[in-house]
Amino acid sequence: GNEKPGYGPRQVRADLRRQGITISIGTTRKIMQANGYQAKTKKNGKEKYTRYEASRPLELAQMDILEVYINKLKVYIILLIDDYSRFILGYRALTETSIDAIIELVDQAVQRYGQMGELLTDRGFVFYSWRGVNRFEKYLEMKGIDQIHARPHHPQTLGKVEALNRRIQNELFRRKHFASHNHAIVGIEEWIEHYNYKRPHQGLGGFLVPAERFHGQADKILDKIAAGMQILKEDKNITRDI
């Protein structure tokens, strides 16, 4: 459990299933509780809203900013995520806001993974937090990427990337002390690698990791899990160089 902070009983069970071990959620929960696990309580009365979900990889990407402090240094973490698979397409950890860094982030993702159809961002993030934002809009226009803005005062539109922000905040920045900005970057890269390639995602049915859905491996992996087979290293290495 200590190696995988943030895993609940369902994710632990899914992780075991990927290794060919079948165990019930109830048993998993009891073992975890005996070792100090406490379930999070869900808040009631949340406003219901309709979530749009893309139907294929790169149809829609989301981008948002998270501000953290690393040894009293303010750092802006920008995460770019594929809506369909929750796969992290790229990130930046900046000590100063930079429109060039944002353009570079999107451009590298396009070069590495392919052209995204639409990009959803927060209005404040695009229009107020960054200087020279028109260059970013012009870049997207030149690339043929449609820009969508989350409705003001409706942050749930960016629900997937904001949930990711909360997760990296809770699992990384609130658990580890980083001696420097460079030290933090190593930690972020390790966390993203684990999230993309190793962690079963509840939003993907509980058994798939984001890379498998992003790279079209879902059916192959689910068939193996259904047959009680272990998901081997070669299954997971579908992609690092694509």
Side-chain angles (χ1 to χ4, degrees), residues 182-228:
N182 287 339
H183 185 208
I185 285 174
V186 172
I188 293 165
E189 287 179 350
E190 287 174 353
W191 189 91
I192 289 174
E193 171 82 0
H194 184 265
Y195 168 91
N196 270 346
Y197 294 98
K198 295 177 183 173
R199 172 205 290 275
H201 199 298
Q202 290 304 112
L204 306 178
F207 288 113
L208 296 173
V209 302
E212 288 160 355
R213 196 174 193 202
F214 182 75
H215 291 289
Q217 298 284 317
D219 290 344
K220 171 188 165 187
I221 298 295
L222 290 173
D223 285 348
K224 285 198 170 189
I225 290 170

Side-chain angles (χ1 to χ4, degrees), residues 69-195:
Y69 284 89
I70 295 165
N71 269 356
K72 298 184 180 177
L73 175 69
K74 192 176 192 178
V75 177
Y76 303 90
I77 311 292
I78 298 101
L79 294 168
L80 179 65
I81 185 174
D82 175 59
D83 184 275
Y84 172 74
S85 63
R86 275 73 154 186
F87 184 80
I88 298 171
L89 299 163
Y91 87 98
R92 286 293 182 277
L94 307 174
T95 53
E96 292 181 7
T97 57
S98 158
I99 204 63
D100 291 322
I102 298 302
I103 291 171
E104 187 185 66
L105 167 59
V106 176
D107 203 50
Q108 280 187 0
V110 168
Q111 286 178 41
R112 186 172 184 190
Y113 299 112
Q115 175 87 354
M116 59 198 72
E118 298 177 323
L119 178 61
L120 175 64
T121 59
D122 187 288
R123 278 185 185 274
F125 166 60
V126 173
F127 292 120
Y128 303 110
S129 301
W130 302 82
R131 294 181 181 172
V133 76
N134 286 338
R135 274 192 296 127
F136 181 52
E137 292 179 296
K138 282 174 185 169
Y139 161 78
L140 293 176
E141 201 174 309
M142 181 190 75
K143 280 284 183 184
I145 298 169
D146 291 330
Q147 189 176 16
I148 315 169
H149 302 124
R151 287 163 58 200
H153 314 301
H154 285 77
Q156 57 268 51
T157 315
L158 279 161
K160 286 165 192 161
V161 73
E162 291 196 341
L164 186 62
N165 281 347
R166 287 192 297 273
R167 180 172 278 176
I168 197 170
Q169 177 86 285
N170 291 334
E171 295 178 13
L172 190 65
F173 296 111
R174 288 187 181 147
R175 286 175 180 264
K176 291 190 177 180
H177 171 76
F178 295 109
S180 67
H181 180 224
N182 287 339
H183 185 208
I185 285 174
V186 172
I188 293 165
E189 287 179 350
E190 287 174 353
W191 189 91
I192 289 174
E193 171 82 0
H194 184 265
Y195 168 91

Side-chain angles (χ1 to χ4, degrees), residues 14-20 200 207 209 212 221 225 230-231:
D15 204 39
L16 290 170
R17 279 290 297 275
R18 293 173 65 84
Q19 296 169 52
F207 288 113
V209 302
E212 288 160 355
I221 298 295
I225 290 170
Q230 185 172 353
I231 307 305

